[in-house]
Structure formats: structure tokens, C-alpha cells
Amino acid sequence: MAFGIDRRAWHEQEERILRVFKRKAIHFLDHVPDHEDDFEWLALMQDHGAPTRLLDFSWSPYVAAF
């Protein structure tokens, strides 16, 4: 277990977090991604500080250090 969540429940938790983020974020976004484009939604969530399984990397060491 990690963070008190059983590994078998990670998929369901991610779906729930994504569903809640989609429902609430549309009120604050100028450009709303397609509802079915989960990859773009996950990238948007990560940009706003939400935990995702996406890796964030950069070619620039200055950007990476920030």
C-alpha cells in the first residue's frame, strides 16, 4: 500500500479524481479539452498541481530545477 490506498484501487481512484476535476474545472477554463481526451485532462491536472501518473520532464536544466 502507498498513501493508504490499496494498489488494486488506484485505477478507480484516478478515474474518480479525473471525473471530479473535469466537472469542476470547466467553470474556470477558457479552453475546455474534449471530454474523452483523458491524456490532455491529466496534463492539465498536473499543470495545476494535481497528482498524476504522468512524468514531467524538460530538456532545460533551468526549467527542471524550477
Side-chain angles (χ1 to χ4, degrees):
M1 283 225 274
F3 303 107
I5 299 173
D6 187 348
R7 284 182 173 262
R8 294 171 293 191
W10 285 0
H11 183 70
E12 290 85 17
Q13 287 293 334
E14 181 184 62
E15 285 180 352
R16 185 182 68 77
I17 292 168
L18 186 58
R19 187 175 57 248
V20 170
F21 185 85
K22 286 179 182 180
R23 187 176 63 232
K24 294 184 182 228
I26 61 171
H27 303 291
F28 304 101
L29 298 174
D30 294 329
H31 167 71
V32 178
D34 182 42
H35 189 71
E36 299 300 319
D37 190 359
D38 289 345
F39 182 73
E40 190 170 350
W41 280 102
L42 286 170
L44 186 62
M45 287 174 60
Q46 186 176 33
D47 190 43
H48 287 277
T52 68
R53 57 188 159 127
L54 301 179
L55 295 177
D56 195 6
F57 67 93
S58 173
W59 294 106
S60 167
Y62 300 110
V63 172
F66 177 69

